[in-house]
Amino acid sequence: ILNVEQSPQSLHVQEGDSTNFTCSFPSSNFYALHWYRWETAKSPEALFVMTLNGDEKKKGRISATLNTKEGYSYLYIKGSQPEDSATYLCAANTDKLIFGTGTRLQVFP
Amino acid sequence: DAGVTQSPTHLIKTRGQQVTLRCSPKSGHDTVSWYQQALGQGPQFIFQYYEEEERQRGNFPDRFSGHQFPNYSSELNVNALLLGDSALYLCASSSGQPNQPQHFGDGTRLSIL
């Protein structure tokens, strides 16, 4: 059984702070690592899908890295804004998508 | 271009009843996955449908069943509802490749009384 773990569980930061979260997963039978952003009352929105060890992806102020050998991925947000407030979910794709419990980010103005 | 649509938005049932949830995938997607999200948990994979067949299944009892139609839309059926089935049920569609993101609907909130 694949366990995907995310930390921290929640995070409160001031506007302008940079922040990062961790997603860890067993490195066997790995196909891809997904990151999703889930705002309250909306549907989860895909941020990144990464497959190769050493992958780095960027979308505006948000970036992610992947280490498949040690089984972790980092998501970074540079200069957090209140609109970044959301739950950030990672999911490891073996033959099915297994989600972590998410990191809930709150950015205060 | 419509995204993933789910119906109904909310549903209230009592223990022992049966429920059917519906999902229409994003245009161009042929694979539909269903997830259950209980309070405080991440989405839990129920099953995935491709070409009208169940392709993968998570750790859910046989009370959970599904169907995919020729137009790729899908239904999730749950029989003999239990209080613990209260959750948000999410449908996601994709092209089926592991390196492609899934596109989620807004979910159906199911409450069991």
Side-chain angles (χ1 to χ4, degrees):
Chain A
I1 296 176
L2 181 65
N3 251 359
V4 177
E5 296 181 357
Q6 291 188 246
S7 63
Q9 193 171 16
S10 65
L11 202 50
H12 300 94
V13 301
Q14 289 293 128
E15 182 175 356
D17 287 350
S18 293
T19 186
N20 66 84
F21 331 129
T22 304
C23 172
S24 63
F25 54 91
S27 50
S28 58
N29 298 322
F30 171 84
Y31 291 127
L33 193 286
H34 296 226
W35 279 101
Y36 292 85
R37 167 194 158 91
W38 196 357
E39 288 182 75
T40 303
K42 295 187 178 179
S43 55
E45 171 199 357
L47 289 173
F48 307 112
V49 179
M50 295 181 289
T51 57
L52 299 176
N53 186 45
D55 252 356
E56 288 189 35
K57 294 216 172 176
K58 189 173 180 181
K59 188 175 183 178
R61 294 178 291 99
I62 305 177
S63 60
T65 60
L66 178 66
N67 183 322
T68 60
K69 292 183 179 177
E70 296 182 37
Y72 65 82
S73 175
Y74 293 137
L75 186 80
Y76 301 92
I77 302 179
K78 185 177 177 183
S80 303
Q81 299 296 308
E83 57 265 30
D84 295 329
S85 297
T87 296
Y88 291 82
L89 290 165
C90 74
N93 197 324
T94 55
D95 57 354
K96 57 191 77 148
L97 207 55
I98 307 297
F99 281 87
T101 54
T103 292
R104 185 175 175 83
L105 173 68
Q106 188 110 22
V107 182
F108 295 102
Chain B
D1 175 23
V4 178
T5 58
Q6 290 187 244
S7 63
T9 307
H10 295 90
L11 203 49
I12 298 175
K13 291 284 187 178
T14 56
R15 281 178 296 175
Q17 283 190 310
Q18 177 265 342
V19 69
T20 297
L21 310 183
R22 295 177 175 82
C23 172
S24 291
K26 180 179 166 70
S27 177
H29 286 175
D30 57 9
T31 302
V32 173
S33 302
W34 286 93
Y35 298 86
Q36 180 196 66
Q37 202 237 351
L39 207 59
Q41 304 285 324
Q44 301 290 310
F45 176 77
I46 303 175
F47 41 53
Q48 183 181 81
Y49 276 83
Y50 171 71
E51 290 190 343
E52 302 179 53
E53 297 284 333
E54 183 182 288
R55 183 157 75 171
Q56 295 289 345
R57 189 177 182 93
N59 189 27
F60 278 80
D62 292 344
R63 298 186 297 109
F64 289 76
S65 63
H67 190 77
Q68 187 179 34
F69 298 93
N71 66 353
Y72 308 120
S73 66
S74 177
E75 288 181 351
L76 163 66
N77 301 293
V78 188
N79 294 323
L81 287 165
L82 303 173
L83 292 177
D85 296 331
S86 295
L88 179 69
Y89 289 84
L90 291 165
C91 168
S93 72
S94 67
S95 65
Q97 300 303 312
N99 61 346
Q100 295 299 311
Q102 300 209 349
H103 294 254
F104 285 85
D106 290 337
T108 294
R109 174 73 62 186
L110 176 63
S111 299
I112 311 302
L113 303 179

